[in-house]
């Protein structure tokens, strides 16, 4: 991975394996965002759901946290008016990353706005992976003691790589 600011924009160069990983993760995020949507009701065309219960999937609950932790009724009402739009924004960000991916070894050129969209999508994937892996601040120490044959090892590696990609984009943007 190589991320560099040029006079033409932000250049991201990824290896074939990195492109495949990023593509798979964004596609999985899109699948996850499509899950559990259910019937939205007759106001869905303007972005308001009849009912928008808190997701039972911990990952979706992390991606769409309650706005009011101490007031379930206010949280449900807020979710009713905002969740469809938030979900659409997350889908659009993931699609933008997928559309940006080129052939291995070719440069991916991003303007600052598209780089911001990439950051949002990368953050969503990291939140999803981090929730599934139960990432804590001590996760680096835990991973060092992990058996290399543990089936979670590749997911931890993907999380670490996403963190580095996100940090690289942040560094060139600011």
């Amino acid at each position: 991975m190589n991320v560099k600011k040029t006079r033409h924009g932000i250049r991201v160069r990824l290896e074939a394996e990195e492109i495949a990983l990023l593509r798979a993760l964004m596609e999985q995020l899109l699948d996850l965002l499509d899950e559990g949507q259910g019937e939205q009701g007759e106001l869905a065309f303007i972005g308001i759901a009849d009912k928008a219960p808190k997701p039972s999937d911990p990952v979706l609950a992390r991606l769409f946290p309650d706005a009011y932790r101490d007031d379930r009724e206010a949280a449900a009402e807020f979710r009713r008016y905002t969740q469809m739009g938030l979900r659409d924004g997350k889908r659009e960000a993931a699609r933008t990353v997928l559309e940006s991916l080129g052939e291995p070894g070719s440069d991916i050129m991003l303007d600052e706005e598209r780089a911001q969209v990439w950051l949002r999508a990368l953050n969503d994937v990291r939140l999803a992976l981090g929730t599934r892996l139960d990432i804590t601040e001590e996760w680096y120490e835990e991973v060092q003691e992990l058996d290399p044959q543990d089936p979670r090892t590749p997911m931890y590696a993907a999380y670490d790589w996403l963190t580095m990609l996100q940090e690289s984009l942040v560094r060139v943007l600011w």
Side-chain angles (χ1 to χ4, degrees):
M1 159 190 22
N2 185 318
V3 180
K4 185 175 183 180
K5 190 169 196 166
T6 72
R7 65 176 199 227
H8 301 292
I10 298 163
R11 185 190 75 212
V12 179
R13 186 172 291 157
L14 302 173
E15 299 296 326
E17 299 82 13
E18 295 170 323
I19 290 174
L21 174 62
L22 193 53
R23 181 172 279 118
L25 291 171
M26 289 299 157
E27 289 170 351
Q28 289 173 26
L29 178 63
L30 286 170
D31 289 344
L32 178 68
L33 291 169
D34 288 338
E35 284 179 19
Q37 241 182 299
E39 187 63 36
Q40 299 296 325
E42 53 189 54
L43 295 178
F45 73 97
I46 60 170
I48 300 172
D50 281 349
K51 294 180 182 175
K54 183 174 181 174
S56 58
D57 181 330
V59 173
L60 287 173
R62 181 67 176 105
L63 290 172
F64 302 105
D66 280 338
Y68 303 97
R69 291 184 184 187
D70 298 331
D71 187 341
R72 289 178 45 193
E73 190 175 310
E77 190 69 4
F78 184 83
R79 184 180 304 284
R80 179 175 174 245
Y81 286 99
T82 61
Q83 186 164 305
M84 288 178 69
L86 292 171
R87 194 178 290 258
D88 288 346
K90 290 177 184 304
R91 274 194 207 99
E92 185 60 34
R95 284 188 196 112
T96 296
V97 172
L98 286 171
E99 291 166 2
S100 302
L101 296 176
E103 296 299 316
S106 65
D107 290 344
I108 300 166
M109 294 304 295
L110 307 173
D111 59 20
E112 288 197 20
E113 182 179 331
R114 190 163 274 222
Q116 293 285 345
V117 172
W118 268 57
L119 285 174
R120 288 194 301 274
L122 292 171
N123 190 59
D124 287 341
V125 172
R126 286 184 67 249
L127 283 173
L129 262 177
T131 301
R132 288 279 189 250
L133 292 169
D134 197 25
I135 295 284
T136 64
E137 290 191 23
E138 296 83 29
W139 81 274
Y140 275 116
E141 291 83 23
E142 293 169 13
V143 170
Q144 291 175 355
E145 296 174 14
L146 196 64
D147 180 348
Q149 300 304 315
D150 188 300
R152 296 171 298 168
T153 301
M155 291 189 295
Y156 280 112
Y159 181 86
D160 192 39
W161 179 80
L162 285 167
T163 302
M164 289 187 296
L165 177 56
Q166 189 177 34
E167 182 179 341
S168 296
L169 277 171
V170 167
R171 286 183 187 276
V172 298
L173 282 169
W174 288 281

